[in-house]
Amino acid sequence: MKSCDPPGWGAVPTPVGEFRLDPVRLPADLALLAGWMNDPEVDAFWELAGPPEVTERHVRDQLDGDGRSIPCLGLLDGEPMSYWEVYRADLDPLAAHYPARPYDTGVHLLLGPAASRGRGLGVVLLTALAELILHRNPRCERVVAEPDVRNRRSVRAFERAGFRAAAELDLPDKRAALMVRDRPGRPAAQAQLPA
């Protein structure tokens, strides 16, 4: 997945500071990530609370996988404050649940420290990353996400970052809002998406 390598994309300026993604390093980043996963607000949707080994298994599966999903720390002005998974949605099990297009790129995210939440940072960073994905990968026509429909704060952040709610999907582990951000100037093709 060479064209989808966020750690190699460098930093981007945003209205809230310089944002970049760095690859997760185990075991160095494990305590930080496990701490975030054990926050009840994060656990409500990520369901990875527990001893550090729970988080390590989740991240290790991606690090040792085929490169379709890349786990990253999001740094704002050099400080880790978010966790991201950037993945080839068209090659992911998600593709069985919506009409995927080649090179659709998906994102999962969480804002780690509680102080980072509720301030609009998610909107700014989602906007920056979606624009970066579309700029760095010309074959990708859409960035997608599938937050839990109950996570209204996340769904609103995606909408404010230029994503549209395209459908609700019944996935094995949740009912998800399929959020889509199209490359500017490309048709949205809403009629192709399930209701």
Side-chain angles (χ1 to χ4, degrees):
M1 190 161 88
K2 300 285 189 226
S3 60
C4 185
D5 186 15
W9 291 347
V12 294
T14 74
V16 295
E18 186 179 81
F19 176 63
R20 80 171 191 270
L21 295 180
D22 281 353
V24 169
R25 295 167 298 128
L26 293 179
D29 298 325
L30 184 57
L32 177 67
L33 290 174
W36 291 346
M37 294 299 182
N38 277 283
D39 179 311
E41 190 173 334
V42 171
D43 182 52
F45 300 105
W46 280 78
E47 299 177 344
L48 290 172
E53 294 78 22
V54 174
T55 299
E56 182 176 20
R57 270 191 305 275
H58 177 79
V59 174
R60 178 77 54 205
D61 285 348
Q62 294 170 79
L63 292 174
D64 294 343
D66 59 9
R68 293 179 188 177
S69 182
I70 301 171
C72 299
L73 281 179
L75 285 77
L76 193 57
D77 290 332
E79 291 297 317
M81 49 71 64
S82 53
Y83 172 71
W84 301 77
E85 295 170 353
V86 179
Y87 64 98
R88 282 282 304 270
D90 62 320
L91 302 177
D92 189 80
L94 174 66
H97 300 275
Y98 82 105
R101 294 182 190 167
Y103 300 100
D104 276 358
T105 300
V107 294
H108 297 141
L109 80 143
L110 69 85
L111 297 180
S116 295
R117 297 180 217 136
R119 301 177 28 212
L121 287 177
V123 173
V124 172
L125 301 182
L126 279 168
T127 300
L129 184 57
E131 290 172 0
L132 191 59
I133 289 169
L134 294 169
H135 173 73
R136 292 287 189 165
N137 187 356
R139 295 181 291 187
C140 174
E141 293 186 10
R142 306 184 301 185
V143 180
V144 302
E146 79 289 348
D148 191 303
V149 295
R150 297 170 299 145
N151 191 346
R152 294 302 310 151
R153 185 186 289 182
S154 180
V155 171
R156 279 192 307 274
F158 277 103
E159 289 171 340
R160 291 178 57 212
F163 288 73
R164 62 186 163 79
E168 287 192 6
L169 307 175
D170 288 314
L171 302 179
D173 59 342
K174 65 184 174 186
R175 181 140 178 95
L178 177 65
M179 308 301 295
V180 178
R181 177 151 176 195
D182 297 287
R183 180 178 292 283
R186 299 283 168 91
Q190 292 179 8
Q192 295 179 9
L193 296 169

